[in-house]
Amino acid sequence: MSDSQADAKRAVGHAAAALVEDGMTLGLGTGSTTAFAIEAIGRRVRDEGLDVRGVPTSYAAERLARESGVPVVTLDEIGLDTLPTSRSPLDLALDGADEVGPALGLIKGRGAAHVREKVVASLAARFVVLVDASKEVERLGTQAPVPVEVLPFAEPAVARALRGLGAEATLRMGEKKDGPVVTDQGLWVLDARFDGIDDPAGLDVAIDGIPGVLGHGLFVGLATDVLVGGGEQVRHVVQPRERG
């Protein structure tokens, strides 16, 4: 990571932490940019006595939150079964993205936490995405593959189905270890690379319908805001959308 990119991520993380208000229940995403936000929220907890709690989207996010002093809870502990279905259980979710396209469509999952991230994002009244300017694209799928989390048994069948949708599907292999990447759910990840995606909403439904797929990294209609960092400056993009 270059110094300028680190500065952009840090600025975005601090801007995101400034959105947090006392009493909020937060979704805490995974990745280097969101890490700056979690650390900044932790400082506010210590310095201001900010009263918040966070639902982490991965073991890595949970560990960082605890180290930073952000109280951690599970979805069970926030009492989903006692809340009306018309109310969003999370006030604010913060997370990064690998690509941000038109209408704030996203590709996420370089950290292989996209399934938990999508669950958390879907429960938030406001889902704010934190990126540096390099992640903005005019058309999704031009820079990043779509991660698809699969049952190991079904990997060959899912790869075949993805090829039928026009993707080049590659099993993600671990770095500094033998064998494939294993998610927090104990599953594998296929990276589906498309030559651009013309219909993200249609592809979202198509991939979800493949037997053996737990989830994928296309996020359509979920983001409400994007904070884009460039140097030490942050640009705020808002997508008007009714959320609970």
Side-chain angles (χ1 to χ4, degrees):
M1 185 190 308
S2 66
D3 289 343
S4 61
Q5 190 177 35
D7 288 342
K9 292 185 175 189
R10 185 178 296 105
V12 167
H14 292 176
L19 299 175
V20 177
E21 298 177 3
D22 202 57
M24 279 187 167
T25 301
L26 309 171
L28 303 176
T30 302
S32 58
T33 308
T34 314
F36 284 115
I38 293 173
E39 291 168 349
I41 294 167
R43 284 192 292 273
R44 291 192 60 196
V45 170
R46 293 193 304 273
D47 298 343
E48 303 172 22
L50 188 69
D51 179 19
V52 295
R53 54 184 185 168
V55 177
T57 57
S58 67
Y59 297 139
E62 177 179 354
R63 181 175 181 178
L64 178 61
R66 292 187 187 279
E67 290 175 349
S68 301
V70 180
V72 169
V73 291
T74 66
L75 291 179
D76 281 337
E77 291 169 333
I78 65 175
L80 283 179
D81 56 341
T82 65
L83 295 174
T85 55
S86 59
R87 178 183 166 189
S88 297
L90 304 178
D91 300 294
L92 175 67
L94 305 173
D95 210 344
D98 303 319
E99 285 188 356
V100 177
L104 304 193
L106 312 173
I107 291 180
K108 292 177 47 56
R110 187 166 59 185
H114 47 285
V115 172
R116 293 191 184 191
E117 290 169 344
K118 189 175 287 187
V119 171
V120 167
S122 71
L123 295 173
R126 188 178 180 190
F127 174 34
V128 181
V129 180
L130 321 177
V131 296
D132 62 81
S134 69
K135 305 299 176 60
E136 291 186 294
V137 297
E138 295 183 359
R139 185 179 175 216
L140 284 179
T142 54
Q143 294 182 174
V146 177
V148 181
E149 189 166 347
V150 302
L151 295 171
F153 166 81
E155 181 270 329
V158 175
R160 181 175 184 270
L162 290 170
R163 289 195 295 270
L165 294 174
E168 177 185 339
T170 305
L171 182 64
R172 188 182 300 183
M173 304 303 289
E175 295 183 8
K176 300 180 181 179
K177 70 176 285 292
D178 293 330
V181 166
V182 178
T183 70
D184 287 354
Q185 288 69 246
L187 304 184
W188 291 354
V189 175
L190 281 165
D191 285 320
R193 187 169 293 280
F194 294 85
D195 186 18
I197 299 169
D198 294 321
D199 180 13
L203 185 60
D204 177 1
V205 173
I207 298 177
D208 272 337
I210 301 172
V213 170
L214 176 64
H216 59 79
L218 269 177
F219 283 50
V220 179
L222 288 173
T224 58
D225 307 63
V226 173
L227 298 177
V228 183
E232 297 182 359
Q233 303 300 313
V234 176
R235 178 163 45 89
H236 190 177
V237 182
V238 179
Q239 177 68 30
R241 181 172 298 116
E242 290 295 327
R243 298 286 296 274

PDB file of all heavy atoms in Angstrom, residues 171-189:
ATOM      1  N   LEU A 171     -10.613 -21.191  -8.640  1.00  0.00           N
ATOM      2  CA  LEU A 171     -10.623 -21.465  -7.213  1.00  0.00           C
ATOM      3  C   LEU A 171      -9.534 -20.630  -6.538  1.00  0.00           C
ATOM      4  O   LEU A 171      -8.374 -20.673  -6.944  1.00  0.00           O
ATOM      5  CB  LEU A 171     -10.384 -22.952  -6.952  1.00  0.00           C
ATOM      6  CG  LEU A 171     -10.406 -23.405  -5.490  1.00  0.00           C
ATOM      7  CD1 LEU A 171     -11.776 -23.191  -4.863  1.00  0.00           C
ATOM      8  CD2 LEU A 171     -10.014 -24.880  -5.391  1.00  0.00           C
ATOM      9  N   ARG A 172      -9.906 -19.877  -5.506  1.00  0.00           N
ATOM     10  CA  ARG A 172      -8.940 -19.032  -4.818  1.00  0.00           C
ATOM     11  C   ARG A 172      -8.045 -19.881  -3.920  1.00  0.00           C
ATOM     12  O   ARG A 172      -8.527 -20.608  -3.048  1.00  0.00           O
ATOM     13  CB  ARG A 172      -9.643 -17.953  -3.986  1.00  0.00           C
ATOM     14  CG  ARG A 172      -8.670 -16.921  -3.409  1.00  0.00           C
ATOM     15  CD  ARG A 172      -9.364 -15.891  -2.550  1.00  0.00           C
ATOM     16  NE  ARG A 172     -10.372 -15.132  -3.263  1.00  0.00           N
ATOM     17  CZ  ARG A 172     -11.068 -14.135  -2.717  1.00  0.00           C
ATOM     18  NH1 ARG A 172     -10.852 -13.801  -1.440  1.00  0.00           N
ATOM     19  NH2 ARG A 172     -11.978 -13.493  -3.418  1.00  0.00           N
ATOM     20  N   MET A 173      -6.753 -19.770  -4.143  1.00  0.00           N
ATOM     21  CA  MET A 173      -5.794 -20.543  -3.374  1.00  0.00           C
ATOM     22  C   MET A 173      -5.194 -19.679  -2.273  1.00  0.00           C
ATOM     23  O   MET A 173      -5.068 -18.461  -2.395  1.00  0.00           O
ATOM     24  CB  MET A 173      -4.690 -21.082  -4.283  1.00  0.00           C
ATOM     25  CG  MET A 173      -5.216 -21.908  -5.457  1.00  0.00           C
ATOM     26  SD  MET A 173      -6.237 -23.330  -4.933  1.00  0.00           S
ATOM     27  CE  MET A 173      -4.949 -24.380  -4.233  1.00  0.00           C
ATOM     28  N   GLY A 174      -4.798 -20.323  -1.176  1.00  0.00           N
ATOM     29  CA  GLY A 174      -4.239 -19.607  -0.043  1.00  0.00           C
ATOM     30  C   GLY A 174      -2.839 -19.106  -0.316  1.00  0.00           C
ATOM     31  O   GLY A 174      -2.090 -19.701  -1.101  1.00  0.00           O
ATOM     32  N   GLU A 175      -2.489 -17.999   0.309  1.00  0.00           N
ATOM     33  CA  GLU A 175      -1.123 -17.493   0.262  1.00  0.00           C
ATOM     34  C   GLU A 175      -0.384 -17.991   1.497  1.00  0.00           C
ATOM     35  O   GLU A 175      -0.929 -18.013   2.598  1.00  0.00           O
ATOM     36  CB  GLU A 175      -1.117 -15.969   0.233  1.00  0.00           C
ATOM     37  CG  GLU A 175      -1.750 -15.381  -1.032  1.00  0.00           C
ATOM     38  CD  GLU A 175      -1.670 -13.875  -1.067  1.00  0.00           C
ATOM     39  OE1 GLU A 175      -0.982 -13.306  -0.186  1.00  0.00           O
ATOM     40  OE2 GLU A 175      -2.293 -13.274  -1.954  1.00  0.00           O
ATOM     41  N   LYS A 176       0.841 -18.415   1.311  1.00  0.00           N
ATOM     42  CA  LYS A 176       1.685 -18.936   2.393  1.00  0.00           C
ATOM     43  C   LYS A 176       1.079 -20.184   3.034  1.00  0.00           C
ATOM     44  O   LYS A 176       1.312 -20.481   4.208  1.00  0.00           O
ATOM     45  CB  LYS A 176       1.931 -17.855   3.445  1.00  0.00           C
ATOM     46  CG  LYS A 176       2.643 -16.613   2.894  1.00  0.00           C
ATOM     47  CD  LYS A 176       2.872 -15.575   3.974  1.00  0.00           C
ATOM     48  CE  LYS A 176       3.550 -14.348   3.398  1.00  0.00           C
ATOM     49  NZ  LYS A 176       3.764 -13.291   4.429  1.00  0.00           N
ATOM     50  N   LYS A 177       0.243 -20.902   2.281  1.00  0.00           N
ATOM     51  CA  LYS A 177      -0.302 -22.185   2.738  1.00  0.00           C
ATOM     52  C   LYS A 177      -0.686 -22.994   1.513  1.00  0.00           C
ATOM     53  O   LYS A 177      -0.933 -22.449   0.441  1.00  0.00           O
ATOM     54  CB  LYS A 177      -1.528 -22.005   3.640  1.00  0.00           C
ATOM     55  CG  LYS A 177      -2.761 -21.492   2.907  1.00  0.00           C
ATOM     56  CD  LYS A 177      -3.992 -21.412   3.801  1.00  0.00           C
ATOM     57  CE  LYS A 177      -4.600 -22.755   4.084  1.00  0.00           C
ATOM     58  NZ  LYS A 177      -5.216 -23.396   2.904  1.00  0.00           N
ATOM     59  N   ASP A 178      -0.718 -24.304   1.678  1.00  0.00           N
ATOM     60  CA  ASP A 178      -1.145 -25.163   0.588  1.00  0.00           C
ATOM     61  C   ASP A 178      -2.662 -25.270   0.586  1.00  0.00           C
ATOM     62  O   ASP A 178      -3.304 -25.295   1.641  1.00  0.00           O
ATOM     63  CB  ASP A 178      -0.545 -26.566   0.745  1.00  0.00           C
ATOM     64  CG  ASP A 178       0.965 -26.567   0.574  1.00  0.00           C
ATOM     65  OD1 ASP A 178       1.460 -25.711  -0.175  1.00  0.00           O
ATOM     66  OD2 ASP A 178       1.639 -27.411   1.193  1.00  0.00           O
ATOM     67  N   GLY A 179      -3.247 -25.357  -0.607  1.00  0.00           N
ATOM     68  CA  GLY A 179      -4.676 -25.579  -0.716  1.00  0.00           C
ATOM     69  C   GLY A 179      -5.481 -24.296  -0.864  1.00  0.00           C
ATOM     70  O   GLY A 179      -4.938 -23.185  -0.858  1.00  0.00           O
ATOM     71  N   PRO A 180      -6.799 -24.449  -0.994  1.00  0.00           N
ATOM     72  CA  PRO A 180      -7.669 -23.299  -1.235  1.00  0.00           C
ATOM     73  C   PRO A 180      -7.897 -22.453   0.008  1.00  0.00           C
ATOM     74  O   PRO A 180      -7.712 -22.914   1.142  1.00  0.00           O
ATOM     75  CB  PRO A 180      -8.981 -23.947  -1.693  1.00  0.00           C
ATOM     76  CG  PRO A 180      -8.974 -25.299  -1.049  1.00  0.00           C
ATOM     77  CD  PRO A 180      -7.531 -25.725  -1.036  1.00  0.00           C
ATOM     78  N   VAL A 181      -8.304 -21.199  -0.225  1.00  0.00           N
ATOM     79  CA  VAL A 181      -8.755 -20.338   0.868  1.00  0.00           C
ATOM     80  C   VAL A 181     -10.000 -20.963   1.492  1.00  0.00           C
ATOM     81  O   VAL A 181     -10.893 -21.446   0.792  1.00  0.00           O
ATOM     82  CB  VAL A 181      -9.084 -18.929   0.331  1.00  0.00           C
ATOM     83  CG1 VAL A 181      -9.867 -18.117   1.355  1.00  0.00           C
ATOM     84  CG2 VAL A 181      -7.804 -18.205  -0.061  1.00  0.00           C
ATOM     85  N   VAL A 182     -10.070 -20.956   2.811  1.00  0.00           N
ATOM     86  CA  VAL A 182     -11.228 -21.486   3.535  1.00  0.00           C
ATOM     87  C   VAL A 182     -11.878 -20.324   4.289  1.00  0.00           C
ATOM     88  O   VAL A 182     -11.210 -19.617   5.048  1.00  0.00           O
ATOM     89  CB  VAL A 182     -10.818 -22.600   4.516  1.00  0.00           C
ATOM     90  CG1 VAL A 182     -12.031 -23.102   5.296  1.00  0.00           C
ATOM     91  CG2 VAL A 182     -10.155 -23.751   3.762  1.00  0.00           C
ATOM     92  N   THR A 183     -13.163 -20.121   4.088  1.00  0.00           N
ATOM     93  CA  THR A 183     -13.860 -19.002   4.714  1.00  0.00           C
ATOM     94  C   THR A 183     -14.170 -19.295   6.188  1.00  0.00           C
ATOM     95  O   THR A 183     -13.963 -20.409   6.670  1.00  0.00           O
ATOM     96  CB  THR A 183     -15.181 -18.713   3.994  1.00  0.00           C
ATOM     97  OG1 THR A 183     -16.101 -19.783   4.254  1.00  0.00           O
ATOM     98  CG2 THR A 183     -14.969 -18.583   2.492  1.00  0.00           C
ATOM     99  N   ASP A 184     -14.707 -18.289   6.874  1.00  0.00           N
ATOM    100  CA  ASP A 184     -15.103 -18.480   8.272  1.00  0.00           C
ATOM    101  C   ASP A 184     -16.197 -19.526   8.407  1.00  0.00           C
ATOM    102  O   ASP A 184     -16.422 -20.059   9.494  1.00  0.00           O
ATOM    103  CB  ASP A 184     -15.599 -17.156   8.866  1.00  0.00           C
ATOM    104  CG  ASP A 184     -14.458 -16.180   9.134  1.00  0.00           C
ATOM    105  OD1 ASP A 184     -13.295 -16.570   8.968  1.00  0.00           O
ATOM    106  OD2 ASP A 184     -14.745 -15.029   9.505  1.00  0.00           O
ATOM    107  N   GLN A 185     -16.891 -19.825   7.295  1.00  0.00           N
ATOM    108  CA  GLN A 185     -17.927 -20.867   7.300  1.00  0.00           C
ATOM    109  C   GLN A 185     -17.363 -22.233   6.931  1.00  0.00           C
ATOM    110  O   GLN A 185     -18.108 -23.220   6.850  1.00  0.00           O
ATOM    111  CB  GLN A 185     -19.059 -20.522   6.313  1.00  0.00           C
ATOM    112  CG  GLN A 185     -19.961 -19.393   6.742  1.00  0.00           C
ATOM    113  CD  GLN A 185     -19.272 -18.048   6.723  1.00  0.00           C
ATOM    114  OE1 GLN A 185     -19.069 -17.433   7.766  1.00  0.00           O
ATOM    115  NE2 GLN A 185     -18.882 -17.585   5.540  1.00  0.00           N
ATOM    116  N   GLY A 186     -16.058 -22.321   6.657  1.00  0.00           N
ATOM    117  CA  GLY A 186     -15.444 -23.580   6.272  1.00  0.00           C
ATOM    118  C   GLY A 186     -15.662 -23.937   4.815  1.00  0.00           C
ATOM    119  O   GLY A 186     -15.499 -25.109   4.432  1.00  0.00           O
ATOM    120  N   LEU A 187     -15.982 -22.952   3.983  1.00  0.00           N
ATOM    121  CA  LEU A 187     -16.252 -23.202   2.565  1.00  0.00           C
ATOM    122  C   LEU A 187     -15.136 -22.626   1.697  1.00  0.00           C
ATOM    123  O   LEU A 187     -14.193 -22.014   2.189  1.00  0.00           O
ATOM    124  CB  LEU A 187     -17.615 -22.594   2.177  1.00  0.00           C
ATOM    125  CG  LEU A 187     -18.812 -23.062   3.011  1.00  0.00           C
ATOM    126  CD1 LEU A 187     -20.101 -22.472   2.477  1.00  0.00           C
ATOM    127  CD2 LEU A 187     -18.884 -24.571   3.060  1.00  0.00           C
ATOM    128  N   TRP A 188     -15.247 -22.842   0.377  1.00  0.00           N
ATOM    129  CA  TRP A 188     -14.252 -22.366  -0.581  1.00  0.00           C
ATOM    130  C   TRP A 188     -14.783 -21.157  -1.338  1.00  0.00           C
ATOM    131  O   TRP A 188     -15.988 -20.867  -1.310  1.00  0.00           O
ATOM    132  CB  TRP A 188     -13.905 -23.476  -1.576  1.00  0.00           C
ATOM    133  CG  TRP A 188     -13.158 -24.625  -0.980  1.00  0.00           C
ATOM    134  CD1 TRP A 188     -12.672 -24.737   0.294  1.00  0.00           C
ATOM    135  CD2 TRP A 188     -12.811 -25.848  -1.649  1.00  0.00           C
ATOM    136  NE1 TRP A 188     -12.040 -25.944   0.468  1.00  0.00           N
ATOM    137  CE2 TRP A 188     -12.107 -26.656  -0.707  1.00  0.00           C
ATOM    138  CE3 TRP A 188     -13.019 -26.343  -2.919  1.00  0.00           C
ATOM    139  CZ2 TRP A 188     -11.622 -27.921  -1.029  1.00  0.00           C
ATOM    140  CZ3 TRP A 188     -12.530 -27.600  -3.248  1.00  0.00           C
ATOM    141  CH2 TRP A 188     -11.848 -28.381  -2.311  1.00  0.00           C
ATOM    142  N   VAL A 189     -13.865 -20.466  -2.046  1.00  0.00           N
ATOM    143  CA  VAL A 189     -14.236 -19.284  -2.821  1.00  0.00           C
ATOM    144  C   VAL A 189     -13.788 -19.467  -4.269  1.00  0.00           C
ATOM    145  O   VAL A 189     -12.613 -19.751  -4.537  1.00  0.00           O
ATOM    146  CB  VAL A 189     -13.597 -18.004  -2.248  1.00  0.00           C
ATOM    147  CG1 VAL A 189     -13.902 -16.800  -3.141  1.00  0.00           C
ATOM    148  CG2 VAL A 189     -14.103 -17.740  -0.830  1.00  0.00           C
TER     149      VAL A 189
END
